[in-house]
């Protein structure tokens, strides 16, 4: 609905501002709406996508969106399916109150109903609270993405 779209847009904006604070070298603040109604509908269109909102009195205080990904087997690649946890966010005033855990449990239920047995995600290494949350939920690292800044001559 239009109301849900607006609520989702508001909570996405809070997530984007949070990311500016934790990684300003990669994420910049902007004033436009973070997700248009069309983008919101794209997040929920089809049976391989889900956007779950945590609502308190008609205000979105958190969300998780996931996408089922199917990797086809090829020469050296093992075929597999998993859910990619694309975004998860809980507004600061609702953290440590069970909102994130409730969203995560709902996401797990969605995965199980869709026959998915693995969830993958990526998080900024500077986002210590997210890493702590995911580790507490049983996630473990399997790959590290690294970068090197090269000084100009």
């Amino acid at each position: 609905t239009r109301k849900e779209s607006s609520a989702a847009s508001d909570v996405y904006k809070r997530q984007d501002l949070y990311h500016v604070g934790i990684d300003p070298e990669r994420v910049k603040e902007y004033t436009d709406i973070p997700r248009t109604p069309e983008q919101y509908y794209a997040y929920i269109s089809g049976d391989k996508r889900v956007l779950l909102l945590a609502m308190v009195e008609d205000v979105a205080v958190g969300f998780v969106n996931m996408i089922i990904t199917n990797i086809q087997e090829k020469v050296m690649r093992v075929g597999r399916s998993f859910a990619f946890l694309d975004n998860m966010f809980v507004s600061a005033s609702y953290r440590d109150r069970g909102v994130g855990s409730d969203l995560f449990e709902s996401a797990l239920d969605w995965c199980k109903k869709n026959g998915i047995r693995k969830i993958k995600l990526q998080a900024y290494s500077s986002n210590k609270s997210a890493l702590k949350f995911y580790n507490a939920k049983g996630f473990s690292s399997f790959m590290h993405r690294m970068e090197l800044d090269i000084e100009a001559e």
Side-chain angles (χ1 to χ4, degrees):
T1 68
R2 183 69 55 190
K3 187 176 181 180
E4 288 172 330
S5 170
S6 178
S9 183
D10 289 345
V11 74
Y12 267 104
K13 179 68 173 182
R14 289 192 298 274
Q15 174 198 249
D16 294 341
L17 290 172
Y18 178 74
H19 283 153
V20 170
I22 63 169
D23 204 344
E25 291 183 15
R26 289 178 187 78
V27 184
K28 66 179 184 175
E29 187 172 345
Y30 59 93
T31 56
D32 198 7
I33 62 169
R35 308 294 186 274
T36 64
E38 292 76 24
Q39 288 170 309
Y40 166 75
Y41 292 120
Y43 277 127
I44 61 172
S45 295
D47 58 353
K48 293 188 176 198
R49 298 174 172 269
V50 69
L51 172 64
L52 303 170
L53 294 174
M55 303 292 290
V56 175
E57 298 178 10
D58 292 332
V59 175
V61 299
F63 74 95
V64 60
N65 72 287
M66 301 182 76
I67 303 164
I68 295 175
T69 302
N70 297 304
I71 304 295
Q72 299 300 313
E73 187 159 333
K74 289 197 175 177
V75 177
M76 292 183 67
R77 189 170 61 191
V78 175
R80 61 201 179 279
S81 295
F82 59 89
F84 181 69
L85 194 158
D86 192 28
N87 289 289
M88 183 170 181
F89 177 77
V90 174
S91 296
S93 59
Y94 286 89
R95 291 185 192 147
D96 298 317
R97 295 170 63 179
V99 174
S101 291
D102 289 348
L103 280 168
F104 185 73
E105 288 302 317
S106 295
L108 280 178
D109 289 344
W110 179 80
C111 288
K112 290 173 185 175
K113 287 176 187 170
N114 283 281
I116 298 299
R117 299 293 176 251
K118 185 177 289 287
I119 298 173
K120 294 186 180 188
L121 62 83
Q122 59 188 28
Y124 291 106
S125 56
S126 58
N127 192 347
K128 303 300 182 197
S129 62
L131 295 173
K132 181 180 175 184
F133 177 85
Y134 295 133
N135 282 321
K137 296 299 179 192
F139 283 84
S140 59
S141 281
F142 71 95
M143 179 185 290
H144 293 274
R145 182 177 280 177
M146 302 170 80
E147 66 184 16
L148 171 69
D149 291 328
I150 301 172
E151 293 184 32
E153 292 184 17

